[in-house]
Amino acid sequence: AITINVVANTTETASAVLNASGGTASYTTILIQPSGGGARMISMSLATPLIELNGADNVTIDGLNTGGNSLTISNTSTSSVAGTSSIRFIADATNNTVTNCTIQGSGTGAASGTIFFSTGTTTGNDGNSINNNTIASAGTNLPFNGIYSGGTSTAIDNNGISILNNNIQDYYNPIGASNGIF
């Protein structure tokens, strides 16, 4: 069991990729949370996911929002490249929770979202929970989709995803469809 405390703001220069346990990674659970009594921000501006759960299971990202602690995850890239997102679930990432965070994005791809449930390999990105978050734009650049689930096929769907009590706001596509959840 691993706990990661975010104790300061950070601007990333590449995606933070968490791979599945087994092989190069070994864990049963991971908890990521802010610490130190202040607002914390993890940010970047790249046409990739800021945080990618690549087959990762049993990960909790908890922004807390108590005792002065809070966590913002923000990808300011306005790229239309598929997969540009703040958090991406891919390759059968299952039973993960993102809660009590502010998640910001500006991706303008029709096949991406601030939170992006991408392709699976065998079972899909199943049993994930997105709860009690604010999902919004990163500044004045509006994302096309708040939450986007792309999946692979009917044989490998993203199933059992729980999206509850979120404030999904500030998304807009001036030339096509835009969605809070797609």
Side-chain angles (χ1 to χ4, degrees):
I2 298 170
T3 298
I4 299 169
N5 290 313
V6 180
V7 298
N9 295 337
T10 179
T11 301
E12 299 299 315
T13 57
S15 295
V17 178
L18 180 59
N19 293 315
S21 186
T24 60
S26 181
Y27 58 89
T28 53
T29 62
I30 295 179
L31 171 62
I32 301 168
Q33 63 188 7
S35 180
R40 307 295 182 217
M41 178 179 276
I42 302 170
S43 64
M44 75 173 199
S45 181
L46 294 173
T48 61
L50 171 54
I51 297 173
E52 179 171 87
L53 301 180
N54 181 24
D57 302 331
N58 304 312
V59 176
T60 298
I61 302 172
D62 187 350
L64 294 178
N65 294 325
T66 60
N69 292 310
S70 66
L71 182 61
T72 298
I73 300 166
S74 181
N75 187 349
T76 61
S77 175
T78 59
S79 174
S80 62
V81 173
T84 302
S85 57
S86 296
I87 301 173
R88 178 166 72 171
F89 300 82
I90 192 167
D92 301 341
T94 61
N95 301 317
N96 301 296
T97 300
V98 179
T99 187
N100 303 317
C101 295
T102 298
I103 306 158
Q104 302 172 336
S106 295
T108 57
S112 62
T114 301
I115 297 176
F116 181 27
F117 291 96
S118 188
T119 55
T121 54
T122 305
T123 61
N125 302 297
D126 299 339
N128 295 297
S129 297
I130 309 297
N131 302 315
N132 304 311
N133 301 289
T134 297
I135 301 165
S137 64
T140 59
N141 297 312
L142 305 179
F144 284 5
N145 299 298
I147 299 173
Y148 182 86
S149 178
T152 304
S153 70
T154 56
I156 307 173
D157 286 338
N158 295 323
N159 293 310
I161 296 171
S162 171
I163 301 171
L164 299 169
N165 301 316
N166 297 285
N167 182 5
I168 304 172
Q169 63 190 34
D170 301 330
Y171 52 90
Y172 177 68
N173 178 354
I175 57 172
S178 59
N179 305 280
I181 302 172
F182 183 78

